[in-house]
Amino acid sequence: MTDSKYFTTTKKGEIFELKSELNSDKKEKKREAVKKVIASMTVGKDVSALFPDVVNCMQTDNLELKKLVYLYLMNYAKSQPDMAIMAVNTFVKDCEDANPLIRALAVRTMGCIRVDKITEYLCEPLRKCLKDEDPYVRKTAAVCVAKLYDINAQLVEDQGFLDQLKDLLSDSNPMVVANAVAALSEMNEASVSGSPLIEMNAQTINKLLTALNECTEWGQVFILDSLANYSPKDEREAQSICERITPRLAHANAAVVLSAVKVLMKFMEMLPADSDFVSTLTKKLAPPLVTLLSSEPEVQYVALRNINLIVQKRPDILKHEMKVFFVKYNDPIYVKLEKLDIMIRLASQANIAQVLSELKEYATEVDVDFVRKAVRAIGRCAIKVEQSAERCVSTLLDLIHTKVNYVVQEAIVVIKDIFRKYPNKYESIISTLCENLDTLDEPEARASMIWIIGEYAERIDNADELLESFLEGFHDENTQVQLQLLTAIVKLFLKRPTDTQELVQQVLSLATQDSDNPDLRDRGFIYWRLLSTDPAAAKEVVLAEKPLISEETDLLEPTLLDELICHISSLASVYHKPPTAFVEGRAGLRKSLPARTGSQEGMHDAGNTAGAGSAMAGGNQPQVIPSQDSLIGDLLSMDIGAPTISSVPPATNQVSQQPVDLLGLDSLLGGVGDTNLTNTNVSQSTTGLLGDIFGLGTPQLTMYSSPKTLWLSAERAKGCEIYGTFSRKNGQIYMDMTITNKAMQPMTGFAIQLNKNSFGVTPARALQVLNPLPPGMSHETSLPLNTTGAIQRMEPLTNLQVAVKNNIDVFYFACIIPMNVFFTDDGQMDKRVFLATWKDIPAQNEVQYTLTNIQGNADMVVQKMQQNNIFTIAKRNVEGQDMLYQSVKLTNGIWVLIELKIQPGNPNITLSLKSRALDIAAGIFQAYDAILH
């Protein structure tokens, strides 16, 4: 008979009956009663009243009964901590039982009972079990250490369990090694300090690699993940580890294969790209990835998301495997879409014919989403592989002739991009596109068609009629369509001014007077002033030559891609987001690939994430081209390539004082271009100078500023190298840069633009650089910044995307702003307000970190923090340890309250932080860490 009978009884007086059965002398009756109790507990009934009676049943040799009682204990110990203490003696006794299964069961259960009173009794039995003669007990005890760390991290460190775990890494049994690794990984994840609890060395790694061959699948995954976090000391060690891991690629379990791929992808960065070993490894990586695609759809999807990252990083690995990504009729839609994406990434001149015939087939499928993506894919092929463009365009025309509404709309969207990529080549098809004008009902398709009409107005006889037809329902249109219509009509007016004057006045009136949309109004006013002030300049701006679309637009940002490669085979690689973006309260260091061998970035700053990203981009990586809706797209929504119009000719060999306007519109809009700015750098007033002579000047605060790191390498920026950092001086944030000209020609016309960011950082004036900057020369410049710009949440929070322009080109890079530059001078909170705010902020908004290796006492901490706008509100001594209460205010008005526990003689400081916006917690901790070190 099955155990289902235990779940069927629900009658009154049941608890009383169970109580008498539990106290029965008959072993069989006792066991049946415990099973009934567990069944009731499972379905959600409260049987906590039977706690003492169930605990009495622990004194038994029957393993099944013991397991059931332990299960009950785990569930109710938290609500009955005083009763649970009664069971401690039995646990301690069971930990010395002759049967290893009972010893392991006892230590496992004690680890699961999250009650502080019991935790201290667990230490001695756990210490014995970690040295037990039976490997099953040792491996269970290893996991128990991780559970204990979660309850009380300090206790684990004080009791020396970390050292015992480290000893288990050298255990003779591979499963014990695997569990020890798993426990250490878990503890590292939970560690508030962010630094690894145990440093891996070559000797330990060697032991892990030896255990790898004999572990279970889970054990292998844990060991491989641990290896991925190790940084080999040189190429030779990296190659040796790769050789020993390669056999794991043939494993039947997908998790083991992907974990092995992750380690190899990371260590390959350390090896010379042209070495025979790397090319052999590249060939070996393809078959296991292909094999993953013959699994069930869910595993296929996870594999495809990971392959998508691998293909972006190293397209060579799968360049000959195009056929495995062809879509099968019975694939679920999520697998189809992912395969399609990878097909485009792998498309090249060699396989484009094959790819196109597949895509044309897909465009006739029944699944609408899939068909749309297939049509877009044809357009992406045309842009990526020039030789295929003509064939792609004729394929798209065939699809337009099908008259299927959604196919036509997608085709028009991609044809617009093809026109941008290949100007004056395929415009003969415009008439065919115009025939479908009435059927367009999606904003993106309508906007694309309007762009085509505006751009090629001189070739379309009735362009004014077509645009006028859109104008009739202007206020009902999507913003994207309205903006595009405004620009298209202005283009038309500049090309055919005589017969479109009424039309342009109508659209400018609609955009500026009748619209509530600020973007639309601003654009309308700019056009209005341009056209009324200087039509010639308007022509130069609006009809300027557009930059060609040069590559794929949906590549991940290099620094993010590097980080995600380090997270292959985890949820981050499926979401294509770093763990910090979706795991609440996750603090800790961001992972990044090692700098590539031979790259300058590696020599300057291997640990810097931006540096690592630059190093990556310095190789033969595809550049990320900003798409219209990407963040960098926002940065460049102005026509950055337009010539700078300036009424004051720049003086040679001196720092240009004039703000360079990237739009080139200053003189037209009555801006600074009209003003003579030679006087901007006015010397200090006499009083100021006298004040300085007599020591009455404003004291310069020595605030912490991190050393400069490489932001933009000369290889990536055609000889323009930028090292930089951020600082705060007298209440002003500065972007401090060293710009070096490593090209063969002088550089002039420097300008800078910052993208929307989390703190609204924007330049307070134009970038001032030696003009011209001769070859081989460096120039130090400090750009003051305001925090009044547009705000857009970034990942990570203090990420800043930058565009720098000079006479050679426009270059983009990203850098991280240290949080401490946002600490304001007015961050000192009143004591009573501090106390009230601390109580008011909920407990779940409190995060704890540990600052390690801090030299100095509480007074030193107070002084250092004061210099960096971190204000001490109160200081008191509790049981020999100093408690500091501090407050910080950020430029965006967010307050952070901090409590520091400083034990004299202990180099570690505990930092507790409370704020209504917890996103900033990791940045605040990093600022403390940097300032105190």
Side-chain angles (χ1 to χ4, degrees):
M1 190 172 174
T2 65
D3 285 345
S4 60
K5 62 180 179 178
Y6 299 112
F7 292 91
T8 53
T9 60
T10 51
K11 54 181 186 284
K12 283 189 175 180
E14 191 178 14
I15 298 284
F16 183 75
E17 280 182 29
L18 286 171
K19 199 178 185 79
S20 59
E21 285 179 29
L22 286 167
N23 291 313
S24 165
D25 295 334
K26 293 180 180 172
K27 280 186 181 177
E28 194 54 44
K29 208 168 184 183
K30 221 180 218 183
R31 193 166 74 212
E32 289 297 302
V34 173
K35 281 187 178 180
K36 284 179 192 172
V37 171
I38 297 295
S40 299
M41 180 179 88
T42 308
V43 295
K45 284 186 199 166
D46 182 13
V47 283
S48 58
L50 298 168
F51 200 95
D53 306 287
V54 176
V55 170
N56 285 338
C57 299
M58 277 176 85
Q59 311 291 344
T60 175
D61 297 332
N62 185 311
L63 191 59
E64 185 189 11
L65 182 55
K66 206 176 260 298
K67 276 185 180 176
L68 291 169
V69 174
Y70 279 178
L71 195 61
Y72 176 90
L73 262 173
M74 278 191 262
N75 198 36
Y76 283 116
K78 202 158 192 177
S79 59
Q80 308 260 6
D82 297 329
M83 290 279 198
I85 296 276
M86 292 161 46
V88 164
N89 287 335
T90 315
F91 279 131
V92 174
K93 208 166 98 188
D94 283 353
C95 284
E96 294 178 4
D97 195 278
N99 184 343
L101 290 176
I102 289 179
R103 294 203 298 275
L105 183 63
V107 79
R108 176 188 294 139
T109 310
M110 284 181 84
C112 291
I113 295 176
R114 304 176 63 85
V115 176
D116 290 338
K117 289 181 181 177
I118 290 186
T119 307
E120 53 202 66
Y121 293 103
L122 168 63
C123 295
E124 215 38 58
L126 179 57
R127 190 173 280 108
K128 285 180 184 169
C129 288
L130 283 165
K131 293 178 179 172
D132 198 281
E133 58 190 25
D134 192 282
Y136 181 73
V137 180
R138 291 200 301 278
K139 85 180 182 77
T140 309
V143 176
C144 187
V145 174
K147 289 177 180 171
L148 183 60
Y149 188 85
D150 194 36
I151 301 166
N152 189 337
Q154 198 59 48
L155 185 72
V156 170
E157 291 178 24
D158 295 346
Q159 293 284 338
F161 288 135
L162 281 177
D163 294 331
Q164 281 190 275
L165 262 189
K166 194 171 182 182
D167 294 342
L168 289 185
L169 293 176
S170 315
D171 199 277
S172 55
N173 186 292
M175 271 321 297
V176 177
V177 175
N179 275 23
V181 168
L184 284 168
S185 305
E186 188 90 6
M187 288 153 70
N188 273 335
E189 290 285 315
S191 169
V192 288
S193 67
S195 52
L197 297 170
I198 290 180
E199 290 293 340
M200 293 286 184
N201 53 34
Q203 200 179 356
T204 315
I205 293 296
N206 199 30
K207 287 167 185 167
L208 295 186
L209 287 164
T210 309
L212 188 61
N213 301 325
E214 301 164 52
C215 279
T216 62
E217 294 164 349
W218 281 111
Q220 291 185 31
V221 170
F222 285 129
I223 290 176
L224 287 166
D225 284 351
S226 190
L227 290 169
N229 294 329
Y230 174 66
S231 298
K233 58 180 184 289
D234 53 28
E235 282 175 33
R236 194 171 160 196
E237 188 184 1
Q239 184 170 332
S240 158
I241 293 172
C242 289
E243 282 169 352
R244 292 178 71 175
I245 286 171
T246 310
R248 297 300 104 213
L249 294 172
H251 203 284
N253 186 299
V256 176
V257 173
L258 281 176
S259 294
V261 168
K262 170 169 64 182
V263 181
L264 295 172
M265 286 290 290
K266 189 172 177 185
F267 289 0
M268 276 164 81
E269 289 294 304
M270 296 188 66
L271 303 171
D274 52 354
S275 67
D276 292 343
F277 182 74
V278 169
S279 56
T280 311
L281 207 51
T282 304
K283 286 174 192 158
K284 283 182 180 174
L285 278 169
L289 292 172
V290 169
T291 308
L292 291 176
L293 298 182
S294 53
S295 324
E296 54 273 23
E298 293 78 10
V299 175
Q300 270 190 61
Y301 178 71
V302 172
L304 286 164
R305 292 294 280 171
N306 281 277
I307 288 169
N308 200 326
L309 296 173
I310 292 164
V311 165
Q312 286 185 55
K313 186 72 185 164
R314 292 185 178 269
D316 290 357
I317 291 176
L318 290 160
K319 66 180 178 188
H320 301 306
E321 304 293 344
M322 177 62 86
K323 278 192 175 172
V324 297
F325 298 106
F326 287 174
V327 171
K328 299 190 181 87
Y329 75 96
N330 59 348
D331 279 340
I333 181 67
Y334 54 87
V335 170
K336 284 180 176 176
L337 295 176
E338 207 54 44
K339 281 186 172 178
L340 206 50
D341 212 28
I342 294 168
M343 278 170 66
I344 307 306
R345 297 205 191 287
L346 293 175
S348 63
Q349 201 178 336
N351 56 26
I352 195 70
Q354 213 178 8
V355 172
L356 271 179
S357 57
E358 274 291 307
L359 292 175
K360 194 171 178 184
E361 203 65 40
Y362 300 161
T364 57
E365 288 273 337
V366 290
D367 193 309
V368 177
D369 286 340
F370 181 52
V371 172
R372 283 175 181 276
K373 187 106 178 192
V375 176
R376 292 230 168 182
I378 295 170
R380 281 173 63 188
C381 283
I383 289 164
K384 190 174 182 193
V385 185
E386 192 170 341
Q387 294 76 3
S388 73
E390 200 156 329
R391 196 166 165 182
C392 290
V393 172
S394 64
T395 305
L396 289 167
L397 280 176
D398 291 347
L399 293 171
I400 287 173
H401 290 311
T402 62
K403 299 290 182 190
V404 178
N405 193 355
Y406 56 86
V407 175
V408 172
Q409 307 212 53
E410 288 297 331
I412 286 173
V413 172
V414 294
I415 285 172
K416 183 250 311 185
D417 289 339
I418 293 172
F419 284 169
R420 285 282 306 271
K421 171 72 176 170
Y422 309 110
N424 306 320
K425 206 166 179 187
Y426 301 109
E427 283 76 5
S428 55
I429 67 169
I430 291 174
S431 56
T432 314
L433 303 182
C434 291
E435 289 166 16
N436 296 281
L437 212 56
D438 300 336
T439 60
L440 307 180
D441 54 14
E442 291 169 17
E444 198 176 358
R446 287 172 77 81
S448 298
M449 192 66 230
I450 291 166
W451 182 87
I452 291 169
I453 296 169
E455 190 65 20
Y456 302 104
E458 69 277 9
R459 302 175 187 220
I460 305 169
D461 299 333
N462 61 337
D464 51 344
E465 290 169 27
L466 296 176
L467 291 176
E468 201 167 357
S469 68
F470 283 103
L471 209 54
E472 286 160 13
F474 186 78
H475 289 304
D476 302 326
E477 295 284 7
N478 181 284
T479 307
Q480 182 184 4
V481 179
Q482 290 177 331
L483 288 165
Q484 204 57 265
L485 191 52
L486 172 61
T487 305
I489 291 175
V490 172
K491 282 180 184 173
L492 175 65
F493 171 71
L494 290 167
K495 290 174 182 178
R496 290 162 35 188
T498 46
D499 50 352
T500 53
Q501 198 157 354
E502 273 181 42
L503 191 62
V504 81
Q505 282 176 343
Q506 191 186 347
V507 77
L508 287 172
S509 170
L510 285 168
T512 55
Q513 291 165 23
D514 305 345
S515 171
D516 295 333
N517 186 314
D519 293 338
L520 187 61
R521 276 207 314 274
D522 287 354
R523 191 180 288 194
F525 279 123
I526 285 180
Y527 284 153
W528 197 312
R529 293 191 68 181
L530 266 173
L531 293 170
S532 58
T533 315
D534 188 347
K539 212 166 194 171
E540 211 169 314
V541 172
V542 180
L543 302 179
E545 204 173 310
K546 281 149 203 69
L548 299 182
I549 296 175
S550 51
E551 267 184 65
E552 294 178 78
T553 56
D554 59 343
L555 293 172
L556 291 167
E557 197 187 16
T559 44
L560 176 60
L561 180 62
D562 281 3
E563 187 176 355
L564 293 177
I565 292 287
C566 297
H567 289 292
I568 283 178
S569 81
S570 76
L571 206 50
S573 66
V574 178
Y575 283 161
H576 286 189
K577 290 178 180 176
T580 45
F582 59 89
V583 181
E584 274 189 40
R586 183 193 166 93
L589 299 174
R590 292 172 68 224
K591 296 183 181 181
S592 185
L593 292 179
R596 279 223 176 149
T597 313
S599 75
Q600 281 194 325
E601 288 84 341
M603 290 181 268
H604 284 303
D605 182 23
N608 178 283
T609 44
S614 310
M616 196 208 93
N620 54 356
Q621 282 298 317
Q623 293 281 318
V624 180
I625 303 300
S627 66
Q628 195 173 359
D629 53 354
S630 76
L631 288 170
I632 297 183
D634 277 348
L635 184 68
L636 305 174
S637 54
M638 300 178 181
D639 195 355
I640 205 163
T644 304
I645 300 165
S646 166
S647 58
V648 183
T652 48
N653 281 336
Q654 67 175 26
V655 175
S656 153
Q657 295 293 341
Q658 181 153 333
V660 182
D661 175 60
L662 302 190
L663 264 171
L665 299 178
D666 279 343
S667 55
L668 301 168
L669 297 178
V672 283
D674 294 327
T675 325
N676 189 338
L677 289 179
T678 48
N679 230 7
T680 50
N681 202 3
V682 182
S683 62
Q684 289 162 298
S685 68
T686 335
T687 340
L689 288 169
L690 286 172
D692 282 348
I693 292 165
F694 293 108
L696 305 172
T698 332
Q700 278 277 349
L701 290 176
T702 52
M703 294 184 76
Y704 169 77
S705 173
S706 56
K708 285 182 181 172
T709 54
L710 183 65
W711 283 349
L712 188 65
S713 66
E715 293 89 343
R716 276 182 61 203
K718 300 178 184 175
C720 178
E721 183 187 78
I722 301 178
Y723 270 79
T725 185
F726 293 85
S727 61
R728 188 179 183 96
K729 298 162 200 156
N730 293 333
Q732 176 73 55
I733 302 173
Y734 288 87
M735 190 176 190
D736 303 322
M737 292 176 280
T738 303
I739 301 175
T740 306
N741 180 359
K742 293 195 170 180
M744 304 299 286
Q745 67 189 80
M747 291 181 181
T748 58
F750 277 92
I752 192 165
Q753 201 158 343
L754 309 182
N755 196 4
K756 294 178 191 172
N757 51 77
S758 309
F759 287 82
V761 173
T762 184
R765 62 162 165 76
L767 180 64
Q768 298 180 350
V769 182
L770 195 65
N771 193 25
L773 184 63
M777 188 99 170
S778 292
H779 180 76
E780 301 270 351
T781 182
S782 281
L783 176 69
L785 303 174
N786 290 334
T787 51
T788 53
I791 288 174
Q792 163 119 29
R793 185 188 163 83
M794 301 297 287
E795 201 54 59
L797 198 66
T798 54
N799 193 23
L800 181 67
Q801 294 175 333
V802 186
V804 169
K805 173 193 169 193
N806 60 21
N807 59 324
I808 296 171
D809 206 344
V810 181
F811 309 105
Y812 316 110
F813 61 90
C815 52
I816 301 293
I817 311 175
M819 189 69 84
N820 56 291
V821 302
F822 297 116
F823 297 174
T824 62
D825 307 355
D826 59 345
Q828 182 136 21
M829 208 181 242
D830 181 79
K831 279 185 188 178
R832 282 163 299 182
V833 177
F834 182 99
L835 192 62
T837 312
W838 185 278
K839 287 177 182 170
D840 198 28
I841 297 174
Q844 60 265 35
N845 276 34
E846 185 172 350
V847 190
Q848 252 196 11
Y849 296 91
T850 304
L851 296 156
T852 53
N853 300 326
I854 306 297
Q855 304 301 323
N857 57 12
D859 294 332
M860 179 278 292
V861 173
V862 170
Q863 188 190 348
K864 270 194 175 183
M865 292 299 148
Q866 186 85 25
Q867 288 170 353
N868 289 278
N869 289 347
I870 300 171
F871 301 93
T872 304
I873 310 300
K875 174 185 172 187
R876 59 197 181 97
N877 191 289
V878 181
E879 296 175 350
Q881 66 179 359
D882 290 319
M883 309 286 282
L884 297 181
Y885 298 92
Q886 299 180 325
S887 67
V888 173
K889 186 183 174 190
L890 302 180
T891 51
N892 56 7
I894 291 175
W895 284 91
V896 186
L897 312 186
I898 294 124
E899 179 195 69
L900 294 177
K901 289 181 189 165
I902 304 171
Q903 185 88 41
N906 184 350
N908 296 347
I909 296 177
T910 305
L911 181 152
S912 301
L913 176 153
K914 264 193 173 188
S915 176
R916 297 195 190 281
L918 266 188
D919 300 353
I920 46 92
I924 299 283
F925 164 67
Q926 282 158 6
Y928 263 77
D929 204 47
I931 292 165
L932 290 173
H933 280 108

